[in-house]
Amino acid sequence: PLQPNDAHRAMQGKGVMQRERERNGGGVMQRESNGCSSPLITWTTQQIRDMGYDTYKTLHENKIIQLAYVYKHYIDKNEEEEYFVNDIQTAELQRRHRDTIAFWREADIDNTVITEDILLLSMHGTDLQDNDKLVPTILRLFDFNAISDVLAFAT
């Protein structure tokens, strides 16, 4: 069985939701030899445990977790003002982005790669504190009969 210090370990074929569903239901999870760990898995697992599995499940089912991605990818593709954690990380990611585009331009011998589609977009939950950003994001994800329903959902 999993030991408390192994609670963050990934199980082959099981995502965080599946592991927490089993844990929440009292199921006994067996440790698999192919498990792996990462800071993201550890952080995500802890967040789910802190808020409770049922709360996380509701957020997941209602696509709340995807809002920042949907906003940046479909609503605001402006790459001009992207920032990531700090100036050093931002500069490094921008350099890697330029290198990636250069690689694909060089490798694209038959002109089929659309390098303009290689985007570097930062996603920040704080973007969604503004209804001018949140409402079009919600409209992209869900079907509402009236804009008043969207505003009620957003506030």
Side-chain angles (χ1 to χ4, degrees):
L2 278 176
Q3 301 301 312
N5 61 348
D6 290 332
H8 67 280
R9 304 212 30 105
M11 301 295 200
Q12 185 176 19
K14 292 184 182 179
V16 172
M17 287 283 289
Q18 177 65 31
R19 289 194 321 276
E20 290 303 299
R21 185 179 308 112
E22 290 176 5
R23 179 177 178 269
N24 190 53
V28 177
M29 293 172 29
Q30 298 297 317
R31 182 176 179 169
E32 296 185 22
S33 61
N34 292 342
C36 64
S37 179
S38 75
L40 179 60
I41 290 170
T42 301
W43 181 86
T44 303
T45 300
Q46 188 59 51
Q47 296 307 307
I48 292 170
R49 289 183 180 165
D50 287 350
M51 73 178 70
Y53 172 74
D54 291 335
T55 300
Y56 182 81
K57 181 179 172 191
T58 299
L59 293 173
H60 186 270
E61 288 172 352
N62 287 292
K63 310 291 189 231
I64 302 303
I65 296 164
Q66 298 172 0
L67 286 175
Y69 167 77
V70 170
Y71 170 71
K72 282 308 288 189
H73 190 256
Y74 295 103
I75 309 300
D76 173 27
K77 289 187 175 185
N78 181 3
E79 288 185 276
E80 306 292 316
E81 301 172 17
E82 298 303 308
Y83 64 97
F84 305 88
V85 182
N86 58 44
D87 291 341
I88 294 169
Q89 185 178 12
T90 298
E92 174 64 17
L93 289 171
Q94 289 171 336
R95 183 192 62 76
R96 289 181 183 190
H97 182 243
R98 287 189 302 273
D99 291 350
T100 299
I101 291 171
F103 168 83
W104 284 109
R105 283 187 178 142
E106 183 71 25
D108 186 21
I109 57 174
D110 58 357
N111 294 321
T112 58
V113 176
I114 304 169
T115 56
E116 292 78 27
D117 286 349
I118 302 172
L119 304 175
L120 177 64
L121 302 172
S122 60
M123 296 175 276
H124 304 282
T126 56
D127 285 335
L128 301 173
Q129 292 176 337
D130 178 352
N131 277 353
D132 290 338
K133 297 175 180 179
L134 180 59
V135 169
T137 305
I138 291 171
L139 287 171
R140 178 75 187 202
L141 278 171
F142 303 104
D143 290 326
F144 284 94
N145 293 326
I147 194 71
S148 61
D149 293 336
V150 176
L151 294 173
F153 183 83
T155 57

